[in-house]
């Protein structure tokens, strides 16, 4: 009797289960806090709808078993979180929401380009197929393009500009989820692609280390010169992403 191999939850194994658990807990805490924060707010039905929609899409990212599904939920998450940034409907909020969406679209397009190139080479976007192609020079460019899109959502330098703009104008419960959960989906993508395409690649490891250190430094220095508490917290989030 041949034992069936246990299906993996995703390209990063049980790590995705941990991400899902933490995300669900954060949404619960944010929901408990929202009632008091939005006592005199308007458009609460819209906020609640897109909050639940974003939660579903975020969990979908973590439970995906291939890059196509990950990408689909990733973009749904970005679109459904746009109303968070624009919730107050002030000129500043709308400008920040426009920046958020524009940078997200840039990340989508670059990631999609990398996915097309990877599919043309491997014939599949399953994490297992990417793992088998590990070390193939032809996969370097597609993997780097996909990493760029995930780095955009993570808020890594130099594509971190959306986070300090979106964080201060969004409602506090949404700000907590933007920096505490949504940026981590970008890091999840970075981890998933790195583990399946660049594991053991010393040059890539050094480059990623340098990028992380730069992001830490830029975030910390920007926070030092910030005069707004929520902007300071956003810059701190950038620094922590680098860490």
């Amino acid at each position: 009797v041949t034992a069936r191999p246990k299906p993996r939850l995703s390209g990063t194994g049980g790590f995705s289960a941990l991400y899902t658990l933490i995300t669900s807990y954060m949404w619960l805490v944010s929901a408990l806090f929202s009632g008091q924060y939005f006592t005199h707010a308007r458009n609460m039905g819209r906020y609640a709808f897109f909050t639940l929609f974003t939660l579903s899409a975020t969990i979908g990212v973590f439970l995906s078993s291939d890059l196509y599904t990950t990408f689909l939920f990733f973009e749904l998450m970005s679109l459904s979180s746009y109303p968070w940034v624009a919730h107050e409907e002030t000129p500043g909020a709308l400008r920040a929401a426009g920046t958020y969406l524009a940078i997200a679209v840039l990340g989508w397009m670059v990631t999609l380009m990398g996915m097309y190139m990877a599919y043309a080479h491997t014939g599949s976007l399953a994490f297992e197929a990417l793992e088998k192609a590990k070390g193939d020079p032809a996969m370097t460019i597609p993997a780097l393009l996909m990493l760029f899109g995930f780095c955009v959502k993570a808020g890594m330098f130099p594509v971190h500009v959306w986070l300090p703009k979106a964080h201060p104008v969004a409602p506090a419960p949404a700000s907590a989820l933007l920096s505490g959960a949504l940026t981590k989906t970008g890091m999840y993508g970075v981890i998933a692609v790195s583990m399946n395409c660049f594991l053991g690649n010393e040059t890539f490891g050094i480059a990623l280390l340098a990028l992380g250190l730069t992001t830490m430094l830029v975030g910390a220095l920007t926070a030092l010169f910030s005069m707004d508490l929520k902007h300071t917290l956003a810059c701190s989030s950038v620094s922590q992403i680098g860490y």
Side-chain angles (χ1 to χ4, degrees):
V1 178
T2 303
R4 292 184 179 180
K6 294 182 179 179
R8 294 194 301 174
L9 193 58
S10 76
T12 54
F15 196 48
S16 60
L18 178 62
Y19 264 61
T20 302
L21 179 63
I22 294 174
T23 298
S24 301
Y25 175 74
M26 289 189 63
W27 245 266
L28 173 63
V29 174
S30 176
L32 293 175
F33 174 64
S34 297
Q36 184 178 5
Y37 182 85
F38 289 115
T39 302
H40 303 291
R42 57 192 179 91
N43 299 322
M44 282 307 301
R46 181 182 67 189
Y47 176 83
F49 173 78
F50 284 107
T51 297
L52 292 175
F53 200 119
T54 306
L55 171 61
S56 301
T58 304
I59 292 178
V61 170
F62 297 145
L63 298 184
S64 301
S65 62
D66 60 79
L67 274 176
Y68 175 77
T69 311
T70 301
F71 178 79
L72 177 63
F73 281 113
F74 202 77
E75 306 325 317
L76 286 174
M77 180 194 69
S78 297
L79 287 173
S80 60
S81 57
Y82 167 82
W84 280 355
V85 185
H87 181 77
E88 300 295 339
E89 299 181 3
T90 61
L94 294 176
R95 283 195 301 271
T99 301
Y100 173 74
L101 191 60
I103 295 180
V105 170
L106 172 65
W108 302 348
M109 300 306 294
V110 176
T111 301
L112 191 60
M113 186 188 307
M115 288 172 58
Y116 275 128
M117 294 174 66
Y119 184 81
H121 183 69
T122 64
S124 173
L125 290 176
F127 287 116
E128 288 79 3
L130 296 179
E131 189 176 4
K132 291 179 181 178
K134 180 176 58 181
D136 189 338
M139 281 296 296
T140 301
I141 298 300
L144 291 177
L145 291 174
M146 290 185 287
L147 278 174
F148 176 82
F150 290 122
C151 287
V152 167
K153 177 56 66 178
M156 294 182 69
F157 178 84
V159 286
H160 65 290
V161 294
W162 68 268
L163 188 55
K165 290 180 177 292
H167 205 294
V169 299
S175 293
L177 295 175
L178 278 171
S179 62
L182 265 64
T183 55
K184 304 311 181 290
T185 62
M187 288 310 304
Y188 176 83
V190 171
I191 292 169
V193 175
S194 299
M195 287 182 62
N196 289 287
C197 296
F198 292 109
L199 191 63
N201 187 321
E202 184 178 1
T203 302
F204 173 77
I206 294 173
L208 193 61
L209 176 62
L211 182 61
L213 290 172
T214 304
T215 304
M216 287 175 61
L217 181 63
V218 170
L221 288 177
T222 309
L224 285 176
F225 294 100
S226 173
M227 302 300 293
D228 179 84
L229 180 58
K230 291 181 73 176
H231 186 270
T232 303
L233 291 173
C235 297
S236 174
S237 296
V238 173
S239 182
Q240 293 302 310
I241 283 294
Y243 179 78

